[in-house]
Amino acid sequence: MKNKLQNLKQEVLSQLAGIADIFDIEKVEKKYLGKKGELAAVFKELKSLPEKEKKAVAQQAQQLRDEVMDKIVELKNKFGSIDEKDGFIDVTLPGVKIEGGHLHPLTQVQRDLERIFLSMGFKILEGPELESDYYNFEALNIPKTHPARDMQDTFFIDQKNKAGEYDLVMRTHTSNVQVRAMEKYGAPLRAVALGKIYRNENIDASHEHTFYQIEGLMIDERISLANLAGVLKEMFSGFYQKEVNIRMRPGYFPFVEPGLEVEMSCVFCNGRGCSVCKKTGWVEMLGAGLVHPNVLRAGGIDPDKFQGFAFGTGIERLAMLKYGIDDIRLFNSGDMSFLNQF
Ligand code: PHE
């Protein structure tokens, strides 16, 4: 028995010396100090020993046990104990979800619209937000004295050009891209321009001073309102993912003739009448028309050979109708509980 204990001691000590991490400690602890461990077995065997031998062996076994315990405490201090707060990782616990970012809802909507127009063979264009009076107004058949300048509350830039005139504005619409696109690409042309625009507006649930628009422009030799109607129906049906109808009534914009206001059958009630469409079954969606000959001319395109249609509308408005958002200010609120829904 004494020999056995001696061997056991040697075995434990060599194992303890070879310990490299906290998991080794656990193993050794279980093997020798555990309820069914080697030392427990020794204590069990004691009972069957002759009385005079029993005492000495018991003492030796206790000594060994104390020695092993001390050593294990020492090692635990060195390697740390298996305890969560000390860095132990329970790989069976459900993981902590890492918050990933995602695209802003307006970016998602812009991408959706771009996809729809790309599929119809349109180019995607951009234009400057800081724009000359010429491209924002003049070239669009809105001369300096034109009352239509008051239709859009403009942010003028407080800086004169060489001729002593104030001629820079924050673009009031994406229509500034129309003549730029004609100059660059000529006719025939199919393009949409999406981007940020600025208006000196009082802010409320449906008005912002800075918002987004999508502009469409299609020029070719035989373009009529039927082409406009077809493209708009495709855009709305694609965007709202359901078949919609449109209707047109006269509207005034200096850069189109005829000018139109386009309405879409209400996507909430499918035209039956609800609070969104004020019981009419129709919602006003955008301004459009056939490009005015003066605008084609400004873009270097012969109005006797080519015609075109143009339309423009607010992207927030399209998004609000799609997702049932009732306050335009939410888009720029930075409110994560709003943004995380998209
Ligand atoms: N630019 C107009 C607006 O901002 C919309 C529009 C674009 C109307 C093109 C007709 C043609 O209100």
Side-chain angles (χ1 to χ4, degrees), residues 152 172-175 178 197 199 213 215-216 253 255-256 260 286-289 310-313:
Q152 297 172 347
T172 57
H173 49 190
T174 43
S175 302
Q178 285 189 23
I197 65 144
R199 302 256 176 110
Q213 276 192 342
E215 188 85 7
F253 301 94
F255 33 94
V256 281
L260 305 162
L286 50 76
F311 66 85
T313 189

Side-chain angles (χ1 to χ4, degrees), residues 84-305:
E84 228 180 304
K85 62 182 180 301
D86 287 337
F88 173 68
I89 299 164
D90 181 350
V91 294
T92 64
L93 280 176
V96 179
K97 202 171 162 233
I98 296 169
E99 281 288 335
H102 63 80
L103 295 176
H104 189 278
L106 283 179
T107 308
Q108 294 181 30
V109 164
Q110 286 186 52
R111 301 240 170 128
D112 287 348
L113 291 166
E114 286 174 4
R115 252 192 304 275
I116 293 167
F117 280 99
L118 281 171
S119 79
M120 290 192 275
F122 281 64
K123 279 189 182 37
I124 314 287
L125 303 180
E126 277 181 352
E129 291 170 20
L130 176 60
E131 183 58 289
S132 65
D133 184 284
Y134 177 74
Y135 286 111
N136 196 81
F137 294 122
E138 203 85 30
L140 292 172
N141 200 30
I142 317 175
K144 287 246 156 34
T145 53
H146 201 290
R149 289 200 175 211
D150 294 340
M151 276 167 68
Q152 297 172 347
D153 305 289
T154 310
F155 284 117
F156 295 96
I157 301 300
D158 189 12
Q159 186 182 305
K160 289 181 181 165
N161 63 8
K162 287 191 191 107
E165 296 157 335
Y166 293 103
D167 73 343
L168 284 177
V169 300
M170 297 311 288
R171 67 170 170 186
T172 57
H173 49 190
T174 43
S175 302
N176 71 322
V177 178
Q178 285 189 23
V179 169
R180 286 179 173 278
M182 294 179 208
E183 284 174 348
K184 187 161 181 191
Y185 299 104
L189 176 65
R190 262 186 265 184
V192 286
L194 299 87
K196 207 184 263 178
I197 65 144
Y198 303 83
R199 302 256 176 110
N200 191 0
E201 297 253 20
N202 288 326
I203 295 163
D204 61 32
S206 43
H207 295 90
E208 265 283 13
H209 51 68
T210 302
F211 56 104
Y212 288 82
Q213 276 192 342
I214 175 171
E215 188 85 7
L217 183 63
M218 183 169 178
I219 299 172
D220 212 324
E221 284 187 30
R222 270 196 291 275
I223 295 292
S224 72
L225 290 182
N227 299 109
L228 173 67
V231 166
L232 291 181
K233 233 184 124 174
E234 193 69 22
M235 160 176 152
F236 291 136
S237 298
F239 184 69
Y240 292 106
Q241 309 248 292
K242 59 160 81 170
E243 201 61 35
V244 298
N245 284 319
I246 60 162
R247 70 179 187 186
M248 299 168 166
R249 54 189 174 77
Y252 176 69
F253 301 94
F255 33 94
V256 281
E257 179 60 37
L260 305 162
E261 302 276 357
V262 179
E263 298 179 353
M264 174 185 75
S265 55
C266 181
V267 285
F268 279 94
C269 60
N270 296 322
R272 260 174 262 117
C274 66
S275 63
V276 172
C277 58
K278 302 198 183 78
K279 304 261 189 288
T280 63
W282 295 92
V283 274
E284 213 175 284
M285 293 306 289
L286 50 76
L290 295 184
V291 181
H292 196 289
N294 287 348
V295 178
L296 289 171
R297 255 180 236 119
I301 292 171
D302 179 1
D304 292 328
K305 191 163 176 220

